[in-house]
Amino acid sequence: MGNHNEFGKLGEQKAVDFLLEKDYEILLRNYRYLKAEVDIIAKKEEELIIIEVKSRTSGFFEDISDTITPKKIRLLTMAADHYIQENDLEVEVRFDIITVIRKGRRFEVEHLENAFYHF
């Protein structure tokens, strides 16, 4: 596994740890449907949260809006829809982005709720 894959997995774990501290229930990690992958599917109260995790080093600056393309949004919404149908759920759905930025030995986690809308 390449270093970027290992760093991505570490970033996802930091995001999971962050969510657990905020009383989210983690339902699934790395949910796949066709060509789509959802990093984290979580639940808080009666809301289903589809979460895309972006891990970066402090030397890499990119506007988060540039990292989530219209194609990525279509794939995430397709996978979320499939998960909901597959599990016969009637829930509100929210799409979030969590960025995990490594700064030396520290990690900064930022959580953007309702990062985009699926309609």
Side-chain angles (χ1 to χ4, degrees):
M1 185 181 295
N3 285 341
H4 68 283
N5 288 338
E6 289 176 25
F7 181 61
K9 293 292 180 196
L10 178 61
E12 285 180 16
Q13 186 58 52
K14 294 289 184 186
V16 165
D17 295 343
F18 173 86
L19 291 167
L20 290 172
E21 286 177 15
K22 304 290 184 187
D23 296 323
Y24 284 76
E25 177 184 353
I26 305 303
L27 301 176
L28 280 173
R29 293 175 67 172
N30 305 113
Y31 176 75
R32 293 180 186 273
Y33 175 68
L34 300 177
K35 293 182 179 182
E37 181 181 350
V38 176
D39 293 329
I40 301 168
I41 298 177
K43 184 177 180 186
K44 187 161 187 182
E45 296 166 6
E46 296 303 313
E47 195 168 37
L48 187 73
I49 300 101
I50 306 299
I51 302 163
E52 175 71 9
V53 179
K54 294 295 183 184
S55 302
R56 300 287 187 255
T57 61
S58 61
F60 186 90
F61 295 101
E62 182 177 13
D63 189 333
I64 199 67
S65 64
D66 293 336
T67 66
I68 308 295
T69 65
K71 179 181 179 182
K72 181 66 173 181
I73 291 171
R74 281 192 305 276
L75 289 170
L76 288 171
T77 56
M78 178 183 66
D81 185 56
H82 182 266
Y83 178 81
I84 290 165
Q85 289 182 29
E86 178 180 60
N87 292 283
D88 195 28
L89 301 175
E90 293 217 12
V91 294
E92 291 293 318
V93 179
R94 188 176 85 206
F95 293 86
D96 293 1
I97 298 171
I98 293 182
T99 57
V100 179
I101 301 172
R102 182 172 60 190
K103 294 186 174 186
R105 293 180 180 222
R106 289 186 320 107
F107 288 87
E108 286 185 8
V109 178
E110 292 185 21
H111 185 186
L112 177 60
E113 296 181 10
N114 289 310
F116 59 86
Y117 296 97
H118 53 290
F119 296 108

